[in-house]
Amino acid sequence: MDAPRRGRPPKHWIDLDAAERAELIAELGLPKFRAGQLDRQVLVRLSEDPEEWTDIPKDDRAVLAERCAPKLTWLVRDQVADGGTTVKSLWRLHDGSLVESVLMRYGVPGIRASGRGRDRSTVCVSSQAGCGMACPFCATGQGGLQRNLSAAEIVAQVIDSARRLRDSEVPGGPGRVNNVVLMGMGEPLANYAAVLKAVRTITSPAPAGLGISARGVTISTVGLVPGIRKLASEGLPVTLAVSLHAPDDELRDELCPINTRWPISEVIAAAKQYFLSTGRRVSIEYALIHNVNDQSWRAEELASVLRGPNGYGWVHVNLIPLNPTPGSKWTASQPEVTDEFIRRLELRGVPVTVRDTRGREIDGACGQLAASEAPN
Ligand code: SAH
């Protein structure tokens, strides 16, 4: 399950903790306070251009840029939808690996496609180039795993969205990132250390972090039980999402092959433990696939599997209409079947919502990220 080490990106400020940052500054023979200055440039002013670091002398800027804050992500292209409020970005990494991130702004007055409610923005980021989990209905799973991203490569995707929103590059005027979801390419818990470091940087208060609320961060996993247990012990109130997709091991073995290693009972037990440790309601992801996992009896079975000693207070089911992927034999469930699935869950008292399909026409929705340069 370990990713190949080739193509390791250069070390970046964001990959270092506070002590390591101070150490590096000392090693470079720079005054101590340069650390705080660099924090502010990179994490508060969101600037990756040393020319803009005008509070730092020119010579020191060059050293800092090269040794502490090398450029890690190059924008290949953007694709937009929903009146500009959904932006999928394709990034090239230093070794040529490609990943995608998706920025979604909601509740923009005058843009109906952005939906209702208050103005808020979510950025969906990748944690690996490719993915090794091989779920057959997911486009990312088809290409295999290239490599883990570093913490700085993960955070760079968030910084880019934060900068675009701040600078009004997305319709709706100046905005900010409210939510970060690790639901892009890759399995976050298979790249545990870098993901944790990234989340700590995202949620630390300025100037050492981006100052986004941990409650606004969601880590989604296919169900790596040791990773879920470890995450529960970090004292970080992030939301855990578990991609379940089937209530029975026979079907889940097929839809999520890692299930043969950690079956449903173990995944659910770890998820319940996560709730007990953090008090955060766990989100169960379930992509509804026509005639595969959408039968009424499976809705009943799902309700049974999720029932805790105190009912359903620990959990929330998020149904995802299956998004099309190249070469897949599967299609989305019929609307009546979806409604019946929801009704069965609601009758049993299971909290349930249906996820929107933002970005579908630019292959930016769940399970569609494949990061190729081919024009579409
Ligand atoms: N590897 C992690 C993070 C990916 S999140 C995980 O599995 O949770 C992407 C979400 O989209 C997951 O819930 C995944 O199962 C789901 N997904 C994958 N392919 C999909 C598709 N074709 N349609 C809808 N959802 C899909």
Side-chain angles (χ1 to χ4, degrees):
M1 235 168 45
D2 290 334
R5 292 205 149 197
R6 91 183 138 79
R8 268 224 194 171
K11 270 257 189 252
H12 186 281
W13 202 237
I14 290 170
D15 299 314
L16 310 175
D17 63 29
E20 291 168 329
R21 288 177 190 177
E23 213 170 284
L24 179 55
I25 292 296
E27 194 184 302
L28 296 174
L30 299 173
K32 274 194 184 128
F33 60 87
R34 292 277 179 264
Q37 289 178 307
L38 192 57
D39 277 346
R40 275 186 294 279
Q41 291 300 345
V42 173
L43 296 163
V44 182
R45 297 197 55 237
L46 313 176
S47 168
E48 59 169 21
D49 178 4
E51 294 289 309
E52 296 173 353
W53 307 347
T54 49
D55 57 333
I56 303 172
K58 245 191 152 73
D59 291 352
D60 286 5
R61 276 185 233 165
V63 178
L64 288 169
E66 192 194 322
R67 298 291 307 276
C68 304
K71 189 168 167 67
L72 298 175
T73 55
W74 287 264
L75 183 64
V76 178
R77 65 149 184 251
D78 284 338
Q79 287 171 276
V80 302
D82 305 314
T85 59
T86 301
V87 184
K88 181 176 82 163
S89 302
L90 175 65
W91 300 99
R92 189 198 316 282
L93 309 180
H94 82 104
D95 62 342
S97 299
L98 296 170
V99 296
E100 290 178 317
S101 60
V102 185
L103 170 56
M104 292 159 280
R105 187 166 188 176
Y106 298 89
V108 178
I111 301 183
R112 266 180 83 185
S114 72
R116 282 177 304 226
R118 68 188 165 85
D119 175 8
R120 65 212 181 275
S121 296
T122 296
V123 54
C124 174
V125 300
S126 295
S127 57
Q128 298 181 311
C131 184
M133 297 298 125
C135 303
F137 57 96
C138 176
T140 312
Q142 305 320 295
L145 176 64
Q146 283 95 60
R147 69 166 171 88
N148 283 332
L149 300 196
S150 66
E153 288 173 324
I154 297 169
V155 175
Q157 301 166 61
V158 182
I159 289 179
D160 176 73
S161 287
R163 194 194 43 71
R164 289 179 195 227
L165 286 163
R166 181 194 65 192
D167 297 347
S168 303
E169 288 175 24
V170 179
R176 54 185 297 264
V177 173
N178 305 94
N179 297 95
V180 176
V181 297
L182 283 116
M183 294 190 178
M185 300 173 71
E187 167 51 43
L189 298 185
N191 182 17
Y192 191 92
V195 163
L196 240 280
K197 211 173 256 183
V199 170
R200 290 207 188 277
T201 302
I202 290 163
T203 59
S204 292
L210 298 178
I212 295 169
S213 162
R215 291 165 200 281
V217 175
T218 299
I219 297 182
S220 183
T221 178
V222 70
L224 305 191
V225 168
I228 296 173
R229 292 197 183 286
K230 191 146 184 245
L231 189 63
S233 72
E234 303 279 359
L236 255 180
V238 295
T239 300
L240 175 73
V242 175
S243 301
L244 198 67
H245 305 310
D248 51 304
D249 285 319
E250 195 185 343
L251 178 56
R252 195 167 192 268
D253 282 349
E254 187 190 347
L255 295 181
C256 302
I258 200 69
N259 193 64
T260 56
R261 181 122 163 231
W262 291 291
I264 291 169
S265 59
E266 289 181 37
V267 174
I268 299 296
K272 283 180 181 158
Q273 181 56 47
Y274 188 85
F275 170 75
L276 289 175
S277 309
T278 63
R280 303 289 297 157
R281 202 184 266 252
V282 174
S283 181
I284 299 290
E285 318 293 289
Y286 198 107
L288 280 171
I289 313 176
H290 175 62
N291 273 347
V292 173
N293 64 355
D294 62 356
Q295 305 82 355
S296 296
W297 72 265
R298 280 205 160 91
E300 300 287 347
E301 182 76 12
L302 179 61
S304 302
V305 165
L306 295 182
R307 205 182 154 72
N310 300 312
Y312 298 107
W314 73 279
V315 73
H316 170 102
V317 172
N318 201 208
L319 298 173
I320 315 174
L322 187 81
N323 293 307
T325 58
S328 170
K329 57 184 176 183
W330 287 311
T331 54
S333 301
Q334 303 294 313
E336 319 79 68
V337 174
T338 303
D339 290 345
E340 180 60 14
F341 201 93
I342 296 169
R343 197 182 69 87
R344 296 275 180 147
L345 290 176
E346 282 178 340
L347 271 177
R348 297 277 297 264
V350 184
V352 52
T353 48
V354 180
R355 180 170 300 174
D356 65 18
T357 51
R358 278 287 272 260
R360 207 188 239 188
E361 64 278 27
I362 51 171
D363 288 340
C366 307
Q368 296 186 306
L369 303 184
S372 119
E373 280 184 282
N376 20 8

